[in-house]
Amino acid sequence: MARRTPRLRALVMASPPVLVAAAFIGLPVVSAVLFSFGYFGGFNSILAEIGQHEHLVTGTSGTLDAYRDVFGDSEFRQSLWATVLVTAASTAVVLVLSWGIALYLRLSGGRIGKMLAGLAVVPMFIPVVIASYAILEFYSPDGFLRSLAAAVGWSNAPVYGYTMVGVAFGQIWTNLPFGVLMMTSGLNAVPDALIEAARDAGASTARAVRSVLVPMAAVPTTIVATFTAIGVIGSFTVPYLIGPSAPNMLGPLMTYTFESFNQPQQAEVMAVVVFLLSAVIGAFYVRANLRGAKETKR
Amino acid sequence: MRMLIRRAGLAAFLLVFALFVVGPLAWLALRAFSGTWQYPHLLPDSWTLKWWTQVLDSADLGGSIRLSLVFAPVVTFVSAVICLPAAYAFARYEFPGRRFLLVALFATNAFPKIGLFLSMAGVFYSLRLMGTFAGVVIVQLLGTLVFMTWLPAAAFSAVPRSLEEAARDAGAGPLRVFFRVTFPLAAPGILVAMILSFLASFDEAQGTYLVGAPNYVTMPSTMYELVVNYPGQVAAVFSVLLAIPSVLLIALVRKHVMSGALAEGFQLR
């Protein structure tokens, strides 16, 4: 009895944040999935009343008609493709930059390393809305990049405002601090002795990095990759402000579909597609974490 | 020679990287004080403060500033009430379902934001939470749950058990031990979590706009309309204003963030 009471109390204490998440994340997600297949009972009833172009079912078997609508629309297919491309490209760049900076800081350190790391966390200080607007202006037709190019005699330098390249720049910019912080802390956790042992055994720096640092930092690397990818897939502000009107990423498209076109069912079909994409990515995150937790288990 | 090329390459990278990160912000800050600015000049042609008075005098914009300053503390407080006991439990006890709860909590991070917000909007219509104060608080709260639980949990587990035991041996009850020993020692970590939670709420734009508009339009969600409806300089002034609290508060916790404590918060233990 004396042992059981504190355990039960601990469970009760630990539950509230998970219950809040279950109520306001779990429940809406389940409702959205049901609604996308045409079930309109319960929490979806009001949505079903106000929405247009809906495919609702009364029986137990759902319908794929809303999915047919969405996948039959070429704008959606283009947006899906754009989303996948931007996500892959910006995740890759964030990974390379944060690995590079963290590695430089770990092996060389010094003033330049500190400057790089200091610069890389600056975006954390700035709200995403502002960053997006600033990036849009910076690469606009009368922005800094074009002005600088004109000053050195290049009068038709590219414009990245309202383009997908600009969106990718914005995604890299906003996701960089997390990547760099995570990789810096991950590489710092690798003991000096291990790197030196590899070097003593005759390994070059590149070899020591490949055979010691890369495997030892696998968990933080996975976390950076998955978090960045999920963050980019689920972003709205960056593509909405920086991107073209169409085809843009899925974030703006599903918001327009929900609010402006008043087609909540089609919007939630897109949300489900995005959930599926990130469920695949999220599985890697949870797996890497569980493996990491086992290794460090006290 | 190779050394020289390496150094030049590094310097060039540093310059480009600095421009990539800081350039857009500096460019926007200049715009907030610019009268006329003709392409392709690298600096404004004339300077003015009139955009600042325009922003500060506008009732709409002023109202959104006030609204942001109401939501952020409320969300931080609610988040602390919900998460701090959980943080203590995760740090100090082994209990059935601990692992499951941890994974469930972390899974909240694995939902792409905009899809989640749209799904929430569907349920919020039924619960009559669309366009309400409580609805906005809930949307902003969800972004704070994970680190409001995890950073304080790390702070609690860093308090040596021997200190608590010593206090207990000296005759202090469990509550007294908590408030006189454990809490004061964990306070800095908790403070960092609260500041980050305040900022997460203060900076949240997309969910707040979806759920709160048109009744509750906070500072960041005002930006969406501002960019379309006002001259660029007004948006620039507003941006500088909106960035001030973030810069000040994050500067306060900079050491803690850079030390890797934040990164640790994203790994299950």
Side-chain angles (χ1 to χ4, degrees):
Chain A
M1 186 67 200
R3 269 187 61 78
R4 193 168 292 162
T5 317
R7 286 177 64 178
L8 193 65
R9 201 177 56 203
L11 181 62
V12 171
M13 280 168 79
S15 300
V18 183
L19 290 179
V20 170
F24 296 108
I25 294 177
L27 188 76
V29 169
V30 172
S31 293
V33 172
L34 287 176
F35 192 51
S36 73
F37 289 112
Y39 302 103
F40 62 96
F43 290 115
N44 290 322
S45 51
I46 296 195
L47 210 55
E49 266 170 48
I50 56 179
Q52 288 175 340
H53 294 290
E54 291 171 318
H55 306 280
L56 305 174
V57 292
T58 40
T60 44
S61 63
T63 170
L64 285 172
D65 287 350
Y67 285 83
R68 246 170 242 134
D69 279 0
V70 168
F71 279 92
D73 179 14
S74 64
E75 192 184 342
F76 169 79
R77 291 197 306 267
Q78 285 171 349
S79 296
L80 179 63
W81 184 229
T83 304
V84 170
L85 277 184
V86 167
T87 304
S90 31
T91 306
V93 175
V94 167
L95 265 183
V96 168
L97 280 177
S98 39
W99 249 98
I101 290 169
L103 197 60
Y104 188 86
L105 200 62
R106 181 74 180 82
L107 297 179
S108 309
R111 236 183 31 221
I112 294 183
K114 284 215 180 81
M115 272 167 77
L116 283 173
L119 276 171
V121 296
V122 165
M124 213 178 91
F125 293 67
I126 308 296
V128 180
V129 198
I130 294 172
S132 307
Y133 182 62
I135 289 167
L136 173 70
E137 293 280 302
F138 194 66
Y139 299 106
S140 72
D142 59 351
F144 174 81
L145 194 69
R146 294 248 305 162
S147 302
L148 184 71
V152 296
W154 183 16
S155 59
N156 55 352
V159 175
Y160 293 125
Y162 301 118
T163 69
M164 293 316 282
V165 177
V167 173
F169 282 173
Q171 305 285 15
I172 295 164
W173 201 91
T174 47
N175 285 293
L176 199 56
F178 177 72
V180 170
L181 286 175
M182 204 69 216
M183 283 326 306
T184 313
S185 124
L187 293 190
N188 276 342
V190 178
D192 276 334
L194 274 181
I195 303 173
E196 271 154 30
R199 277 186 181 155
D200 287 347
S204 65
T205 307
R207 181 87 201 272
V209 168
R210 217 170 45 232
S211 56
V212 177
L213 283 171
V214 170
M216 292 284 289
V219 173
T221 307
T222 319
I223 294 177
V224 170
T226 50
F227 262 66
T228 307
I230 289 172
V232 174
I233 284 190
S235 64
F236 168 73
T237 306
V238 168
Y240 175 74
L241 288 178
I242 306 178
S245 48
N248 201 333
M249 291 181 69
L250 284 175
L253 181 66
M254 70 176 92
T255 309
Y256 295 142
T257 309
F258 191 91
E259 290 203 313
S260 314
F261 310 149
N262 193 19
Q263 298 181 4
Q265 197 182 16
Q266 283 75 3
E268 302 213 328
V269 166
M270 296 179 200
V272 171
V273 171
V274 158
F275 288 151
L276 284 178
L277 283 179
S278 50
V280 176
I281 302 166
F284 283 103
Y285 164 64
V286 171
R287 224 183 60 187
N289 255 319
L290 288 179
R291 205 188 309 142
K294 250 179 230 143
E295 276 162 16
T296 53
K297 188 113 187 156
R298 286 150 295 182
Chain B
M1 189 61 197
R2 252 188 81 195
M3 184 78 183
L4 207 68
I5 293 174
R6 241 194 90 181
R7 298 217 124 200
L10 197 62
F13 176 77
L14 193 64
L15 186 71
V16 172
F17 188 63
L19 263 183
F20 176 75
V21 173
V22 185
L25 303 175
W27 192 249
L28 191 66
L30 282 178
R31 179 140 290 204
F33 298 94
S34 68
T36 52
W37 191 348
Q38 209 133 43
Y39 172 78
H41 298 165
L42 284 169
L43 282 176
D45 306 311
S46 65
W47 304 85
T48 175
L49 285 175
K50 73 173 176 192
W51 310 110
W52 289 80
T53 50
Q54 191 180 334
V55 167
L56 296 173
D57 288 347
S58 152
D60 271 9
L61 303 182
S64 73
I65 295 175
R66 229 170 305 127
L67 205 54
S68 278
L69 291 175
V70 172
F71 275 117
V74 170
V75 169
T76 308
F77 176 76
V78 174
S79 181
V81 169
I82 293 175
C83 298
L84 289 183
Y88 186 78
F90 281 125
R92 278 296 191 244
Y93 303 110
E94 268 304 326
F95 51 89
R98 179 175 184 273
R99 163 120 297 175
F100 171 78
L101 289 184
L102 269 181
V103 173
L105 191 59
F106 273 78
T108 62
N109 273 339
F111 281 100
K113 280 271 165 55
I114 191 65
L116 185 62
F117 289 147
L118 284 182
S119 314
M120 280 173 66
V123 171
F124 274 25
Y125 273 120
S126 287
L127 296 174
R128 312 241 175 258
L129 283 169
M130 284 302 262
T132 65
F133 189 87
V136 174
V137 169
I138 292 171
V139 163
Q140 298 188 351
L141 178 68
L142 290 175
T144 67
L145 290 179
V146 172
F147 58 73
M148 199 59 164
T149 305
W150 204 248
L151 292 181
F156 282 132
S157 28
V159 176
R161 276 172 199 263
S162 56
L163 282 181
E164 292 173 340
E165 275 154 22
R168 214 166 296 147
D169 289 347
L175 274 182
R176 203 177 145 86
V177 170
F178 178 80
F179 281 109
R180 300 302 287 272
V181 180
T182 319
F183 187 76
L185 284 172
I190 295 173
L191 189 68
V192 170
M194 291 184 82
I195 287 179
L196 290 177
S197 164
F198 185 94
L199 284 177
S201 157
F202 194 81
D203 294 346
E204 210 294 314
Q206 51 193 42
T208 307
Y209 189 69
L210 193 68
V211 171
N215 303 344
Y216 295 99
V217 182
T218 58
M219 250 173 114
S221 48
T222 300
M223 272 298 283
Y224 292 132
E225 289 164 11
L226 216 63
V227 170
V228 185
N229 300 332
Y230 286 79
Q233 290 95 327
V234 171
V237 168
F238 208 64
S239 301
V240 174
L241 280 176
L242 182 49
I244 291 173
S246 308
V247 170
L248 288 180
L249 285 174
I250 295 201
L252 272 181
V253 294
R254 192 176 163 274
K255 263 217 183 93
H256 193 89
V257 167
M258 296 294 279
S259 74
L262 194 66
E264 287 286 306
F266 285 88
Q267 304 191 42
L268 297 172
R269 195 114 326 147

